[in-house]
Amino acid sequence: MIEIDAITKCYDGQPAVDAVSMTVESGTITAIVGTSGSGKTTLLRMINRLVEPSSGEVRINGQSTREEKPHLLRRRIGYAIQGHGLFPHQTVARNIGTVPRLLGWSKDKVRERVDELLRLFSMEPEEFRDRYPAELSGGQQQRVGVARALASRPDLLLMDEPFGALDPIIRTRAQEDLRQIQQKLGSTIMLVTHDMEEAIRLGDRVAVMDGGKLVQYGTPAEIIAEPASDFVAHMVGDVERPLRLLSLLPLGDLVEEGEAEGEPLPAEASLREALSACLWNGKQAVPVERDGKVVGRVTLDAIRARAGHHG
Amino acid sequence: MSIRTAGRGLSPPGLLFAMLGAAALALPFMTLSPNRIVSGQGVAAWAVAAPGIALPGLAAVLAGLVLGLAAAYPKLRLAGALAGLAGLLWLLSQGAAALLDGAGEYARVSPAAGFWCLGLVLMLQVADAMATLRPGPGLRALLLAAFLAVLAAILWSGLLSDLSVMVEYASRARAFRDATLRHLGLAFGSLAAAGVIGFPLGILCHRQATLRGATLPVLSFLQTIPSLAMFGLMIPILGWVGATFPAARAVGIAGIGFAPAFLALVLYSLLPVVANTVAGLASTPPAALEAARGMGMTAGQRLWQVELPLGLPVILAGLRIVLVQNVGLAVIAGLIGGGGYGTFVFQGLNQTATDLILLGALPTVLLALVAAIVMDILVELARRTPETTP
Amino acid sequence: MKWGAILRLVLVLLLLALVLRPGWFTPVFAPLAPAGGPVIYQRSSLLSLSLSHLGLVAAASGAATLIAVTLAVLVTRPAGTAFRPLSRTITNMGQTFPPVAVLALAVPALGFGAGPTLVALFLYGLLPIFENAMTALSTLPPATIEAARGIGLNRWQRLTRVELPLAFPVILAGIRLSVVIALGTATIGSTVAARTLGEVIIAGLLTNNTAFVLQGGLIVGLFAVLIYDALSQLESRVSRRLGR
């Protein structure tokens, strides 16, 4: 559990981060989202003390981060940044092994861990171990960057716009990969992004920052359905709010008895996909299947009612 | 840049070399003078020896120039240039013996404008072919070693000992050896001293913007002072130090000789060392540095594991500048009694003895060239890892 | 900035005084002169030596600029491509030739006096200017060149109105480097009997007269520093206008 307690950073008397408090559960992804200058990156960098807080403190599993030397603290917190920050003069294996080497792991243990991580990120160790960063594609570089951050099995992984430098298609894949790997490893991740869509897609919880203050902290559904302020509503995108909400809700919730024509959708699919299917086929309803069996339908009217529920 | 863009058929640089080479053949190839000081009589390349001896040499030179025309075959152009150079060497050694035969006890023969121009043209042909072939650093090192070995063998064999400059050398072999040691001592010693002072200073300047802002302008100011003035100004300063502090005098610090020359060279060397150290350390991608800090590397670990390895090529490039510059500037030491090849150059200028000038100037040029090539190879080796991230 | 301007003015005044009224400095240099020896160099006027020195540098650098820029333009045209690798090797290796050695080697070919000095200064000055001009002309922003073609400028117009003006600051940096080297090398030219300020220093070295050495050294040093500074100023002004 990460507890952030009234943490503040002032530059020349101006607060860049103003008394932010939040608690992050272990094994979850928390997305900190905000415009540039909102203080989101400063907040993240105070957690591993790349920026020293002016006041307040951070506790990781109950222990204050101030009790440890900053560089020792950072070695047990993973850190991945935009543009990956790989060392251009070192091979992929050396890059990934950086923190384990700093921690004094044996050579064999480092090598084993590197291969394990490469496989986890679907990169064949034999093929990639001895390459240099310049010889990788953008997506591969980004994966190596995340693998490097995870190398020492850190308590917490901090990511600053980790997908910022990727083009849209690769970015979506990278986001899915991160989700999967996080679920597999059960890691705790805090990531900073300016992209609300990314925050909603990845975060178990979303923290919205504005002007150095934490303006809302909640689940994606809460953020979309009940924005705490006009700013949050604007960040979510007023026009697209219904669609964003629908994309978070599974079909299963609205299944009703009845027949419908067309290709059935699985119950885990989102209402947004169902809406899309209805509009595309020009039908009033779409069949829903569970374990390969059609169990009912979802009507356009029901979707409309659900989307407008909060309007 | 590749062979293909240069086109098939005739190489334009080769054509230029052939024309320049042909023109150079019309110049006097060697000079025969009755003694060391008097200026002599020019002799054309075909007249330096009996036709049976001169013609093969001439043929090799001409063939070399003609082979240089083949744009598509850089190896052939290289071979041609080497054949041409061998031809020049043949003409020079055979011509010297033939011309001296019966010319009197004090007669001197020396290469003249024609020889130098042809040599230059053929060396350019070598350079042009090499620029197309782009040999790797290992091969370049090998070629340099081979070239130096051949040069040493030629000088050792006495093939050229009839030449005036070699006669000059023979009468000063000991002084020449001392001058060589002194010259090397000045050039490399000042490089080492500048490194000992400059690297830490460069690292400090990299860390502290205020120190950088104060240091670099002062160092570039020093670099601007003309060398003769700098060497001259060291004399009163060190003279004063030597006169005031007996301890300093005891270790040889005085207004004249090695010390002022050494100090002047060190002062000139500081700017390239410090500026390139700063630039090299600053060339680390900011994201890599941020990641290094974020992963818990200490300042020392960041310096040794990230910044220095990444900055090494730039830092070495600074050392190349210093070494080449110091080899050249060390000549000035000859004017203030600091020794080195400059002693011969300035003695030669004083006595209008061309051979003595050459005895000082040619090794200096060779030393500077070798230093540059070796340092270029080192810089390239340091750059070996792919350093640019797309 | 303000301090810089004051310092510059002080240095200019000091230089003018040293050249035009050397007598004023007799008390300063007297302790350095050998007992009973002359304190101030009087064998020829410092003004005429300065003018001759600067004249040599100006002539050599002017000619070097003209030839170097012309060559760089030729080499960067499509027809000159074949000469580009060679040009790079020549600039790279040529600049390793020590200026003093070039000067000394010019003597056997050209004899003593201003001639060899001028030739050595010219030859040595070519390389930095050529290198910078070649780099500048071959690394211009492609979009600008494309735009120049697009609006219908012909090759000559593109060269004179777009390429050379854009390359000017970098060429100027080459000229600055070349001029500073020339100022220093010209000093050594007095060892081959060219009339330059080096004469004063050499005279001091030969007669163990430190006053001469300091006098000559100061004047040459001040000239070099002030000219370097003036050219740097010009350079940054030009590049600021180009928005770099």
Side-chain angles (χ1 to χ4, degrees):
Chain A
M1 195 169 65
I2 321 293
E3 294 158 282
I4 297 174
D5 190 356
I7 204 164
T8 299
K9 179 68 191 182
C10 291
Y11 290 110
D12 305 323
Q14 293 292 80
V17 171
D18 195 356
V20 168
S21 296
M22 59 195 276
T23 304
V24 171
E25 294 299 328
S26 294
T28 63
I29 298 186
T30 302
I32 305 169
V33 63
T35 50
S36 66
S38 63
K40 56 184 193 302
T41 297
T42 310
L43 174 63
L44 190 82
R45 286 159 61 92
M46 279 194 285
I47 295 170
N48 65 358
R49 288 177 66 191
L50 279 172
V51 172
E52 287 294 342
S54 306
S55 68
E57 74 168 6
V58 176
R59 288 183 295 277
I60 299 177
N61 299 331
Q63 191 197 3
S64 169
T65 54
R66 275 188 309 204
E67 288 166 16
E68 207 169 352
K69 285 223 171 82
H71 67 273
L72 297 178
L73 171 74
R74 289 178 205 139
R75 287 176 194 177
R76 55 188 193 88
I77 299 180
Y79 189 56
I81 55 175
Q82 170 163 18
H84 62 72
L86 295 177
F87 301 143
H89 61 300
Q90 292 183 355
T91 60
V92 166
R94 268 193 83 78
N95 262 293
I96 294 179
T98 305
V99 180
R101 273 200 316 278
L102 290 175
L103 293 172
W105 290 18
S106 74
K107 266 190 185 158
D108 290 338
K109 203 173 153 201
V110 174
R111 193 178 309 130
E112 225 168 83
R113 179 66 180 155
V114 167
D115 287 1
E116 184 186 338
L117 280 163
L118 280 173
R119 264 183 239 113
L120 184 66
F121 282 84
S122 5
M123 297 169 85
E124 196 45 53
E126 296 297 324
E127 193 188 339
F128 286 98
R129 209 188 277 134
D130 297 322
R131 292 215 199 160
Y132 284 92
E135 298 165 328
L136 304 178
S137 73
Q140 289 166 341
Q141 289 171 347
Q142 191 272 339
R143 274 183 274 165
V144 173
V146 178
R148 182 173 70 172
L150 288 172
S152 64
R153 300 192 180 85
D155 307 333
L156 169 65
L157 172 58
L158 303 178
M159 307 178 92
D160 187 359
E161 299 270 7
F163 310 117
L166 301 180
D167 65 57
I169 297 173
I170 302 176
R171 185 183 312 172
T172 312
R173 249 214 66 200
Q175 288 166 347
E176 280 161 16
D177 287 353
L178 181 70
R179 241 310 171 199
Q180 272 178 16
I181 285 166
Q182 187 265 341
Q183 273 160 7
K184 201 184 283 180
L185 303 177
S187 359
T188 313
I189 298 179
M190 294 183 72
L191 81 90
V192 155
T193 176
H194 64 272
D195 178 4
M196 183 57 97
E197 182 135 9
E198 182 169 278
I200 288 170
R201 185 175 307 159
L202 282 175
D204 295 305
R205 306 264 269 161
V206 175
V208 185
M209 298 273 300
D210 183 32
K213 287 193 165 37
L214 180 63
V215 290
Q216 191 170 7
Y217 181 43
T219 63
E222 283 167 10
I223 300 278
I224 295 169
E226 293 145 30
S229 67
D230 288 349
F231 174 77
V232 180
H234 182 69
M235 280 293 286
V236 175
D238 290 322
V239 185
E240 291 180 30
R241 271 173 60 201
L243 294 176
R244 294 222 159 132
L245 186 59
L246 290 179
S247 71
L248 288 173
L249 301 173
L251 276 186
D253 296 0
L254 294 186
V255 178
E256 54 180 58
E257 298 284 308
E259 297 280 308
E261 287 176 47
E263 195 74 4
L265 286 173
E268 306 82 53
S270 73
L271 288 177
R272 187 175 178 161
E273 288 170 76
L275 174 67
S276 179
C278 289
L279 294 177
W280 188 249
N281 302 325
K283 299 281 159 30
Q284 288 301 311
V286 61
V288 178
E289 61 172 15
R290 207 171 253 143
D291 307 323
K293 258 170 47 193
V294 176
V295 292
R297 65 175 186 180
V298 167
T299 63
L300 197 53
D301 287 339
I303 298 174
R304 194 180 290 132
R306 188 77 178 80
H309 185 67
H310 301 276
Chain B
M1 235 113 323
S2 72
I3 310 154
R4 248 158 255 107
T5 52
R8 303 269 153 189
L10 295 185
S11 147
L15 207 56
L16 179 69
F17 297 149
M19 289 191 311
L20 289 175
L25 271 176
L27 294 171
F29 188 81
M30 295 175 83
T31 316
L32 175 66
S33 45
N35 63 46
R36 178 168 172 260
I37 306 297
V38 178
S39 61
Q41 187 107 43
V43 185
W46 52 85
V48 292
I53 295 168
L55 281 180
L58 271 176
V61 172
L62 286 172
L65 290 171
V66 170
L67 287 177
L69 293 171
Y73 306 99
K75 281 183 184 155
L76 201 61
R77 305 186 57 208
L78 183 62
L82 295 177
L85 286 171
L88 281 186
L89 192 65
W90 170 262
L91 283 173
L92 197 61
S93 61
Q94 299 304 312
L99 289 172
L100 279 180
D101 191 25
E105 194 184 339
Y106 299 107
R108 294 278 187 113
V109 279
S110 37
F115 169 84
W116 295 117
C117 291
L118 277 169
L120 188 66
V121 165
L122 289 165
M123 289 302 276
L124 285 177
Q125 188 173 324
V126 171
D128 190 36
M130 294 276 273
T132 318
L133 286 169
R134 289 169 182 273
L139 187 57
R140 286 220 305 278
L142 210 65
L143 287 174
L144 179 66
F147 168 76
L148 290 177
V150 169
L151 186 69
I154 290 168
L155 293 177
W156 204 263
S157 67
L159 202 59
L160 298 178
S161 56
D162 287 337
L163 286 182
S164 189
V165 64
M166 294 308 288
V167 175
E168 206 72 42
Y169 163 76
S171 63
R172 287 184 170 75
R174 214 194 145 72
F176 185 83
R177 209 183 53 213
D178 291 347
T180 305
L181 289 178
R182 178 54 75 85
H183 207 95
L184 291 173
L186 277 171
F188 283 92
S190 57
L191 174 76
V196 168
I197 304 168
F199 289 137
L201 191 58
I203 291 170
L204 284 178
C205 282
H206 171 63
R207 291 276 157 86
Q208 293 189 324
T210 37
L211 182 65
R212 181 166 66 239
T215 309
L216 290 183
V218 172
L219 294 183
S220 45
F221 167 82
L222 285 178
Q223 193 85 5
T224 318
I225 300 173
S227 46
L228 189 58
M230 176 80 100
F231 279 72
L233 292 176
M234 287 305 115
I235 293 176
I237 295 172
L238 285 186
W240 179 81
V241 172
T244 318
F245 303 103
R249 194 166 52 235
V251 295
I253 292 181
I256 283 284
F258 185 80
F262 186 80
L263 184 59
L265 289 180
V266 172
L267 289 179
Y268 274 125
S269 313
L270 282 177
L271 179 69
V273 173
V274 175
N276 280 49
T277 305
V278 171
L281 294 179
S283 71
T284 316
L289 215 53
E290 162 82 2
R293 223 158 80 80
M295 284 188 295
M297 285 190 170
T298 61
Q301 285 166 336
R302 290 201 298 275
L303 180 66
W304 285 103
Q305 295 179 23
V306 183
E307 292 171 295
L308 275 179
L310 282 173
L312 192 62
V314 181
I315 296 173
L316 281 177
L319 294 186
R320 177 207 197 262
I321 298 174
V322 170
L323 196 55
V324 169
Q325 171 186 288
N326 284 4
V327 167
L329 286 175
V331 174
I332 318 269
L335 267 182
I336 58 169
Y341 292 134
T343 318
F344 299 134
V345 172
F346 292 112
Q347 266 179 23
L349 287 173
N350 251 340
Q351 307 170 4
T352 63
T354 303
D355 302 315
L356 202 50
I357 299 176
L358 290 181
L359 188 64
L362 290 180
T364 310
V365 171
L366 182 69
L367 200 58
L369 278 175
V370 171
I373 293 171
V374 170
M375 290 305 292
D376 280 343
I377 291 172
L378 289 181
V379 170
E380 203 175 319
L381 285 176
R383 265 192 222 286
R384 283 266 101 163
T385 54
E387 50 143 23
T388 46
T389 41
Chain C
M1 202 61 230
K2 212 174 124 209
W3 284 108
I6 294 172
L7 183 65
R8 209 167 287 139
L9 187 69
V10 169
L11 291 182
V12 170
L13 291 176
L14 178 64
L15 177 60
L16 285 176
L18 276 167
V19 172
L20 298 174
R21 294 281 178 275
W24 291 357
F25 295 88
T26 313
V28 183
F29 292 136
L32 296 167
V39 177
I40 299 300
Y41 190 74
Q42 274 164 342
R43 235 171 288 167
S44 54
S45 110
L46 289 173
L47 179 63
S48 82
L49 282 179
S50 300
L51 290 179
S52 155
H53 192 123
L54 295 180
L56 268 175
V57 172
S61 300
T65 305
L66 199 67
I67 303 291
V69 173
T70 310
L71 285 177
V73 168
L74 290 178
V75 167
T76 50
R77 299 307 98 182
T81 316
F83 287 94
R84 242 181 268 181
L86 179 67
S87 318
R88 258 187 224 111
T89 314
I90 292 180
T91 47
N92 192 21
M93 287 293 120
Q95 288 181 76
T96 64
F97 276 66
V100 196
V102 174
L103 184 65
L105 290 174
V107 170
L110 297 160
F112 283 77
T117 309
L118 204 56
V119 169
L121 294 187
F122 165 74
L123 284 179
Y124 205 78
L126 277 177
L127 296 174
I129 306 176
F130 177 69
E131 185 175 27
N132 278 32
M134 192 169 70
T135 312
L137 286 172
S138 53
T139 54
L140 293 170
T144 312
I145 304 305
E146 200 52 34
R149 278 163 62 107
I151 60 171
L153 297 183
N154 65 29
R155 292 209 307 201
W156 176 251
Q157 290 165 328
R158 283 207 300 276
L159 178 67
T160 53
R161 295 191 197 169
V162 182
E163 297 181 36
L164 283 178
L166 278 179
F168 188 57
V170 184
I171 297 178
L172 207 55
I175 295 176
R176 174 168 54 107
L177 201 60
S178 164
V179 166
V180 168
I181 295 172
L183 275 167
T185 313
T187 318
I188 304 163
S190 63
T191 58
V192 300
R195 267 177 60 79
T196 74
L197 288 162
E199 204 177 297
V200 185
I201 303 175
I202 303 272
L205 291 174
L206 292 179
T207 57
N208 278 329
N209 187 338
T210 311
F212 284 3
V213 173
L214 198 59
Q215 199 179 3
L218 268 178
I219 296 176
V220 182
L222 282 173
F223 267 124
V225 169
L226 287 170
I227 290 175
Y228 178 89
D229 178 59
L231 287 173
S232 309
Q233 297 279 326
L234 180 63
E235 205 180 303
S236 58
R237 194 158 304 171
V238 171
S239 23
R240 219 175 307 138
R241 222 177 39 207
L242 287 176
R244 298 254 178 95

